[in-house]
Amino acid sequence: MATQQPVKLAALEGLHHSGPGAPMSIGPIELPGVLSFMLHGRTSAVVTGLDVVAPNEAPPVFFTHYAFDTMVGIGLGLLALAAWSWWRWRPRRRATFFDSTWFLRAIAGSGPAAVVALIAGWIVTEVGRQPWIVHLHLRTADAVSDQHGLYWYFYATVAVYAILATSLVAVLRRLARTPR
Amino acid sequence: MSAADGILVIIGAGVIAYLVLGGADFGGGVWDLFARGPRRDFQRQLIASTMGPVWEANHVWLVFVLIGLFSGFPAAFGQLSRMLAVPLAVALLGIVLRGSAFIFRQYGAAASTEAPVRGTAAWGRIFAIASTVTPVTLGLCAGAVATGQLTGPFPPVAGALAIAFCAYLAAVFLCQEARSRGLPALAEDFRRRGLAAAAVAGALAALAVPVLAIDAPDLTSRLIDRAAVLVLCSAAGGLGSIVALLRRRFVPARIAAVLAVGSVVAGWGVASYPIMVPPSLTVDQAAAPAQTLPVTLGVLIAGFAVTVPSLILLFRIFSRPALR
């Protein structure tokens, strides 16, 4: 991505200024030089920032950056959970593998978390590519249909999926109550 | 044969497979809607248990058609998606609601100990209605692709023909399903429905040709001239399936019904070539840049090579009652 889509990389790392010693931002924390080192093996390496393009040519940084942090954070969390499982599975402790409320909570939460990470990754790649729909070939604004009433299509889609999601939850809750 | 022609063949095969297999699924919903008589609930159960295992698998053919069109013939894809925006939106809604409603109905149905969940019956109706509306709109779209316009008398006839084909295929397929499960009374129910649907579909197909001649005289003359063999195949298949149903030979009836319906699509394709979207968009004009076509064709062939054996295996597994 650093060579093919440097602006997307800058957006997902929240890197505003090009230059050497590019920091890695995790939430409010900035680790100076880490991004340069991760990409090129040297903290002095120059990394392209968002300032190489006009503001209206850059993707929305807020969504891209925090979606990326969410994805990476959940990924690391799942790795930690796997390590925790290995630790609890060690010989002589196996019998009590499930005897921890917080461990069970973490296991239960890991399923939805994996889906959230998936969606966050999707947001990174789709929002991070803006304003292009095909990188450097076709702008999203030029690609959108000029069909009338496109917003009705949108409202109808939202309404249908709201109904389906509600029904799905109702059916799943019922199945959870009466396992067959 | 060029790569573009190869992609066309894949698209055509996808349309035929979707019409025959997906059409039978839609038709099952139609017979759910029109379940009548003393064995009404048993008819619905047979339809649900036949469709359950292959639930939405047959939409894979539609995916092949759309990807082939989108990657191979972007100009045609663009024209068609503008022209058919509204009916395609309705068809999409129908496909989504149908698939969801089928599952919600299954899991909401009464367990042995308790009453069915509130709304289960409503999902059953939505499943049946969406199964009926979707093929009509897709047939309407096919009619519009054939004539190049959504207005005119042919698209509605094509919509009616599509739903008749679905009901006909489903009824003929369900005869053998019922017999292989040892349910001769249900086989008789669907045999009668199959004969009625065959008569309706045959009458509509016969009506469709003169109506097509009004909307698209060129296509009609090429259909009679160039695709005469396929038109005769379709007629022979239709008559053959009626004879087979009358003699209760359900497996030959299936083969004949597939021949009858598949030949219509094949004939349409042969007659239209090389026009992709009437009046004037040809295959060459609509095709993607030459360097991408062989890649697209290769991907589609690879996709077919995985999908076709998988689905054959799926159908084989669930066509053996002993293994259920």
Side-chain angles (χ1 to χ4, degrees):
Chain A
M1 207 190 299
T3 51
Q4 299 278 326
Q5 289 180 283
V7 178
K8 186 181 194 174
L9 181 72
L12 62 90
E13 294 289 357
L15 184 68
H16 291 277
H17 305 292
S18 304
M24 169 169 276
S25 326
I26 303 163
I29 309 159
E30 279 204 354
L31 305 171
V34 171
L35 186 58
S36 287
F37 183 80
M38 280 177 65
L39 291 174
H40 305 289
R42 293 172 285 116
T43 55
S44 61
V46 174
V47 178
T48 307
L50 288 162
D51 55 2
V52 296
V53 291
N56 62 348
E57 297 282 293
V61 176
F62 180 85
F63 278 115
T64 319
H65 179 53
Y66 285 103
F68 183 68
D69 278 4
T70 305
M71 177 183 81
V72 174
I74 291 174
L76 293 174
L78 292 175
L79 280 176
L81 179 62
W84 191 8
S85 309
W86 276 104
W87 174 245
R88 295 189 63 82
W89 191 244
R90 69 191 187 276
R92 282 184 284 163
R93 286 289 307 276
R94 281 182 194 178
T96 59
F97 183 73
F98 292 112
D99 297 353
S100 157
T101 312
W102 278 105
F103 180 65
L104 292 178
R105 281 178 185 155
I107 295 281
S110 66
V115 177
V116 171
L118 192 86
I119 302 286
W122 203 354
I123 291 172
V124 171
T125 193
E126 299 297 332
V127 178
R129 191 179 47 234
Q130 302 304 319
W132 304 98
I133 195 159
V134 181
H135 188 56
L136 300 183
H137 285 285
L138 182 64
R139 284 173 181 277
T140 309
D142 297 331
V144 71
S145 170
D146 55 3
Q147 206 100 40
H148 292 295
L150 213 53
Y151 51 92
W152 284 112
Y153 207 117
F154 172 71
Y155 295 148
T157 307
V158 171
V160 167
Y161 277 92
I163 292 167
L164 292 183
T166 313
S167 311
L168 176 67
V169 170
V171 169
L172 287 177
R173 282 174 61 90
R174 173 174 177 276
L175 286 180
R177 274 202 310 276
T178 54
R180 312 189 222 180
Chain B
M1 198 165 93
S2 68
D5 292 341
I7 297 172
L8 272 186
V9 170
I10 297 262
I11 292 176
V15 172
I16 291 175
Y18 188 60
L19 179 58
V20 169
L21 298 168
D25 287 351
F26 283 122
V30 175
W31 293 123
D32 185 294
L33 188 64
F34 291 110
R36 291 280 182 280
R39 288 175 293 276
R40 191 174 59 196
D41 292 337
F42 296 107
Q43 292 167 7
R44 291 201 167 120
Q45 278 170 20
L46 176 69
I47 293 164
S49 69
T50 307
M51 282 177 44
V54 293
W55 181 40
E56 295 289 77
N58 282 316
H59 289 305
V60 74
W61 308 116
L62 190 61
V63 175
F64 273 110
V65 171
L66 290 178
I67 297 297
L69 202 59
F70 174 82
S71 314
F73 305 96
F77 185 86
Q79 272 198 21
L80 292 177
S81 45
R82 278 164 172 274
M83 179 169 87
L84 305 174
V86 174
L88 284 179
V90 173
L92 181 63
L93 180 70
I95 288 172
V96 169
L97 283 181
R98 193 187 106 85
S100 319
F102 182 72
I103 285 299
F104 290 160
R105 181 183 69 166
Q106 293 291 88
Y107 284 106
S112 51
T113 51
E114 57 180 309
V117 176
R118 198 156 45 90
T120 298
W123 282 119
R125 302 303 281 178
I126 289 173
F127 162 72
I129 292 166
S131 296
T132 310
V133 170
T134 308
V136 171
T137 29
L138 287 175
L140 193 77
C141 291
V145 176
T147 60
Q149 54 185 8
L150 199 48
T151 52
F154 185 68
V157 174
L161 189 60
I163 189 71
F165 278 165
C166 292
Y168 163 57
L169 287 165
V172 174
F173 288 6
L174 284 166
C175 288
Q176 177 61 26
E177 286 291 332
R179 176 183 277 174
S180 72
R181 286 163 205 222
L183 302 164
L186 278 186
E188 281 304 304
D189 285 356
F190 284 109
R191 174 174 164 268
R192 276 198 307 279
R193 282 162 174 72
L195 285 168
V200 171
L204 278 170
L207 173 73
V209 177
V211 175
L212 183 66
I214 300 169
D215 269 3
D218 293 350
L219 179 66
T220 315
S221 62
R222 283 195 305 263
L223 185 68
I224 295 164
D225 177 28
R226 208 197 284 169
V229 176
L230 289 162
V231 174
L232 290 176
C233 266
S234 176
L239 292 175
S241 73
I242 290 175
V243 171
L245 283 179
L246 286 173
R247 300 179 60 194
R248 295 188 174 76
R249 306 268 312 258
F250 294 145
V251 174
R254 276 185 178 188
I255 297 166
V258 170
L259 183 73
V261 173
S263 302
V264 171
V265 176
W268 167 31
V270 169
S272 303
Y273 189 86
I275 301 286
M276 251 192 121
V277 184
S280 59
L281 187 69
T282 63
V283 170
D284 288 342
Q285 289 163 357
Q291 59 267 39
T292 66
L293 289 175
V295 181
T296 306
L297 179 60
V299 170
L300 289 174
I301 289 173
F304 254 58
V306 174
T307 313
V308 172
S310 315
L311 279 174
I312 288 174
L313 181 66
L314 181 73
F315 293 142
R316 282 176 66 101
I317 288 173
F318 287 103
S319 65
R320 291 182 201 166
L323 292 179
R324 238 177 244 113

